Amino acid sequence: MNSKDIFNYLEIIEFQISKHKDEIEKLDQEIGDGDHIFNVLRGLKEANSLKEKNINEPVDKVFKQIGMKIMTTVGGSSGALFATLIIGMSKKYDNSLENLENISNMFSEGVEAMKIRGKSNVGEKTMLDVLIPVAIKLKEIKNEKKMNLVAEKIKKVAQEGMLSTKEMIATKGRASFLGERAKGHIDPGARSSQLAIEAICNELIKLEENL
Ligand code: ADP
Ligand code: MG
């Protein structure tokens, strides 16, 4: 995997999330202010706008540029949080995206940075309820060589994490103002994160099938 692949994955994520635009908008209308899908799509568009200039740059530089771009152009808590995740990942890049252990280290570093930035952890009805379990699972299976197995496992963990937010009350973000009334609604950030992860996993499975 190189920078070209990264931009390719971003396009795939944008395509999949766009398909769920109305659903995500509704989720944030129910327990937030409705702008989450706008912020996510804006972030993806800004990230993709860096493609031409950066496609041949090293992966860590590309992650850093994307993170900075999102940080400076995307609003909402999710803009700053996703930017922090991506910049955090850029700091742990170890010259290869072929090795799952490296990917796992990068992802964990990004998630840790997000936890600090958001002062939050698992169980608070946020995107971290998807991202933290995924980081843990990646670490657990870092030696697995079959990428389709990795993708299936990660997809499942992300799905479970997203669904787990439904019955939670929120202790961070706008949904925390709602108290018990947030129950029964999936967190929009958890849904968009899960869809992004699922899009990457499905692409990996597809690639493996075509080998
Ligand atoms: P805003 O809440 O400022 O309108 P968005 O609507 O773009 O921003 O994003 C909302 C999402 O951000 C929530 O669904 C939740 O997943 C996530 N979020 C909000 N606050 C935090 C936090 N402190 N830590 C982690 N994630 C958070
Ligand atoms: Mg919002």
Side-chain angles (χ1 to χ4, degrees):
M1 257 206 284
N2 52 29
S3 295
K4 191 163 166 262
D5 298 318
I6 295 194
F7 284 109
N8 192 22
Y9 277 113
L10 280 173
E11 272 171 31
I12 291 165
I13 291 171
E14 189 177 7
F15 180 69
Q16 289 302 334
I17 288 189
S18 296
K19 284 209 254 177
H20 298 268
K21 188 170 176 286
D22 294 345
E23 179 203 333
I24 297 171
E25 179 162 30
K26 186 159 173 274
L27 291 178
D28 198 32
Q29 280 165 352
E30 283 165 346
I31 60 167
D33 57 356
D35 64 345
H36 183 63
I37 185 66
F38 174 81
N39 293 333
V40 170
L41 290 177
R42 172 89 198 268
L44 286 161
K45 190 166 152 261
E46 293 291 347
N48 278 325
S49 77
L50 298 172
K51 182 173 173 176
E52 219 159 288
K53 243 183 150 179
N54 291 277
I55 200 154
N56 294 316
E57 297 290 343
V59 168
D60 51 344
K61 186 174 168 207
V62 166
F63 271 105
K64 188 159 175 221
Q65 298 268 7
I66 291 175
M68 304 283 271
K69 186 82 175 169
I70 293 176
M71 188 69 90
T72 51
T73 55
V74 182
S77 357
S78 67
L81 289 164
F82 282 131
T84 303
L85 174 84
I86 297 165
I87 294 170
M89 285 175 71
S90 78
K91 293 184 181 156
K92 271 277 168 170
Y93 178 62
D94 191 12
N95 283 320
S96 159
L97 284 182
E98 307 307 322
N99 179 337
L100 189 58
E101 187 168 357
N102 287 343
I103 296 177
S104 162
N105 288 338
M106 281 174 82
F107 194 70
S108 289
E109 182 81 7
V111 171
E112 284 307 314
M114 187 193 264
K115 282 163 71 175
I116 293 168
R117 175 104 195 189
K119 299 189 182 63
S120 47
N121 213 318
V122 83
E124 303 202 76
K125 201 179 179 91
T126 72
M127 45 190 155
L128 283 167
D129 288 306
V130 170
L131 302 173
I132 292 174
V134 165
I136 293 171
K137 186 52 121 188
L138 267 178
K139 201 172 278 177
E140 215 177 282
I141 60 175
K142 64 180 188 230
N143 296 319
E144 175 61 63
K145 296 286 174 256
K146 295 198 185 82
M147 281 317 278
N148 53 343
L149 272 183
V150 170
E152 290 292 359
K153 285 183 179 163
I154 295 299
K155 225 167 94 165
K156 183 161 174 278
V157 168
Q159 175 86 12
E160 287 166 358
M162 178 272 290
L163 291 174
S164 77
T165 64
K166 186 164 180 180
E167 291 314 318
M168 289 178 187
I169 59 159
T171 40
K172 291 282 153 46
R174 290 179 197 279
S176 64
F177 307 140
L178 295 177
E180 288 284 329
R181 277 181 294 144
K183 275 194 183 171
H185 303 280
I186 287 168
D187 175 64
R191 180 64 166 143
S192 60
S193 305
Q194 177 262 326
L195 282 167
I197 289 165
E198 186 178 74
I200 298 173
C201 289
N202 283 343
E203 184 65 15
L204 283 170
I205 293 167
K206 214 167 84 189
L207 288 175
E208 196 90 347
E209 277 167 0
N210 291 337
L211 279 183

